[in-house]
Amino acid sequence: METLANLESFARSAEASSFSVAARRLSLTPAAVSRNVAILERNLGVRLFQRTTRKLTLTEAGERFLLAMQDHMQGLQAAIADAATDRGEPAGVLKVSMGLTFGADYILPLLPGFLARYPNIRPDWRFESRQVDLIAEGYDAAIGGGNDLAPGLVTRTLAPLHIIAVASPAYLKGRKRPGDPSGLALFDGIVMRSTRTGRIRERTMRDAAGAETIATLKETIVLDDPEAMCRAALLGLGVTLIAVPHALPHLERRALVRLLPQWYADGGPISIYYPTRTLLPAKTRVFADFVVEGFRRDRLAERFAGSLG
């Protein structure tokens, strides 16, 4: 069954003969509208538009499809708007994307309380390391940090994404601790290769006074997943730069030690984000509110702040 987003993207594009104009009317990006139409064409198995650099024209099949669906769109939109603004109990499938370790450690524990408050919502959560396209892939929301988000998304900041230097007590035994980030180069390094660029990620660390220094680690071990980096550090294989949420459980039980406690790198905020919609579904709104409330109650923003030392 086609999603309303795909059908609306097609109808508005046909009316305007333009993906860009349709995108403005739907509060989406032109790329998102184009993707939605392409998905619809693929699913139907027909080409709905003839595309040129200057013009968007309906094919014969596109004209027939538009005529057939126009009478039904208005009623469908009214029904959805009525459901979205209903004052009853929030309900429906809640599709959310989040990282595996972060989600399991900090979001999943909120689920019992959330379901107790909203029993008619059915979670459909995906634990994945990639950045998803909320609109094209049909997600209600996503949680993550360090992402370049597309225009038109609503973001609510949950906590800072601070990066700190850690190693195991066993690895540090008999070794002199570094006095500043430049000293990290003397240790075996567990570094991260970006899956997007293929390059080794370099971090600029700062202290409370505002001084900044590039932290360069030896490329002793190269990994592409932060949890794997954390596990490698736990095994005593070297020093790594890791986000506080990954390191925190191990720091609290002293399985890892923080080096340079006055220094951290800023990876941007950890946020919950969802598509901008005039009528946000109640299930998405209450989920975002519940997560923000949970982070505030558990003081996670403060606990994740590497600047506290």
Side-chain angles (χ1 to χ4, degrees):
M1 182 176 293
E2 290 303 327
T3 66
L4 182 63
N6 293 349
L7 296 173
E8 281 192 315
S9 293
F10 164 69
R12 299 296 167 257
S13 298
E15 291 170 359
S17 297
S18 167
F19 288 145
S20 297
V21 174
R24 287 196 294 271
R25 292 178 181 175
L26 295 171
S27 299
L28 300 175
T29 65
V33 171
S34 178
R35 281 195 300 272
N36 289 346
V37 172
I39 291 170
L40 179 60
E41 289 179 319
R42 184 189 66 204
N43 292 345
L44 294 176
V46 297
R47 182 173 290 279
L48 300 173
F49 288 109
Q50 297 290 353
R51 299 163 173 81
T52 68
T53 55
R54 295 185 178 181
K55 197 173 182 181
L56 195 65
T57 307
L58 281 169
T59 63
E60 184 178 346
E63 290 176 346
R64 289 198 306 269
F65 185 69
L66 180 64
L67 185 64
M69 66 172 282
Q70 274 180 331
D71 292 339
H72 304 285
M73 279 293 292
Q74 187 172 359
L76 181 58
Q77 289 170 325
I80 291 175
D82 181 68
T85 55
D86 185 73
R87 292 178 183 243
E89 189 70 18
V93 175
L94 181 69
K95 187 177 177 183
V96 183
S97 172
M98 66 193 82
L100 172 57
T101 302
F102 182 84
D105 285 347
Y106 303 105
I107 306 300
L108 199 58
L110 301 176
L111 189 55
F114 180 72
L115 292 179
R117 189 181 298 183
Y118 304 108
N120 294 324
I121 293 178
R122 183 162 64 86
D124 182 359
W125 291 4
R126 314 295 172 88
F127 296 88
E128 49 200 346
S129 58
R130 67 186 182 92
Q131 183 176 346
V132 299
D133 185 325
L134 294 183
I135 297 169
E137 299 180 56
Y139 283 92
D140 295 296
I143 300 172
N147 296 324
D148 295 323
L149 301 181
L153 296 180
V154 175
T155 64
R156 297 178 66 178
T157 299
L158 299 174
L161 183 64
H162 287 172
I163 315 295
I164 60 174
V166 299
S168 71
Y171 179 80
L172 293 174
K173 188 175 182 179
R175 289 182 167 93
K176 183 179 179 181
R177 307 289 177 89
D180 59 59
S182 64
L184 295 175
L186 301 175
F187 297 87
D188 297 301
I190 304 165
V191 300
M192 183 170 189
R193 186 183 302 281
S194 170
T195 55
R196 184 172 59 87
T197 66
R199 298 177 180 176
I200 302 299
R201 288 190 174 176
E202 194 173 69
R203 302 287 186 182
T204 298
M205 302 189 78
R206 65 181 62 158
D207 66 8
E212 293 189 346
T213 302
I214 295 177
T216 302
L217 273 66
K218 290 180 183 177
E219 297 177 16
T220 308
I221 298 175
V222 180
L223 303 172
D224 69 349
D225 179 79
E227 180 58 21
M229 295 165 64
C230 198
R231 297 291 182 91
L234 287 166
L235 291 171
L237 298 177
V239 173
T240 193
L241 294 173
I242 198 75
V244 175
H246 285 284
L248 189 59
H250 310 296
L251 292 170
E252 291 179 338
R253 62 186 179 88
R254 299 183 180 179
L256 289 176
V257 175
R258 180 177 177 182
L259 303 173
L260 305 171
Q262 301 303 319
W263 293 83
Y264 70 97
D266 190 353
I270 300 169
S271 303
I272 181 169
Y273 51 97
Y274 43 88
T276 301
R277 294 172 181 161
T278 304
L279 297 171
L280 182 69
K283 61 181 180 179
T284 307
R285 174 178 50 78
V286 297
F287 175 69
D289 289 344
F290 196 88
V291 172
V292 170
E293 174 189 314
F295 269 62
R296 185 181 299 117
R297 181 190 63 244
D298 296 337
R299 299 176 58 248
L300 289 178
E302 296 173 41
R303 293 170 63 197
F304 290 174
S307 55
L308 293 182

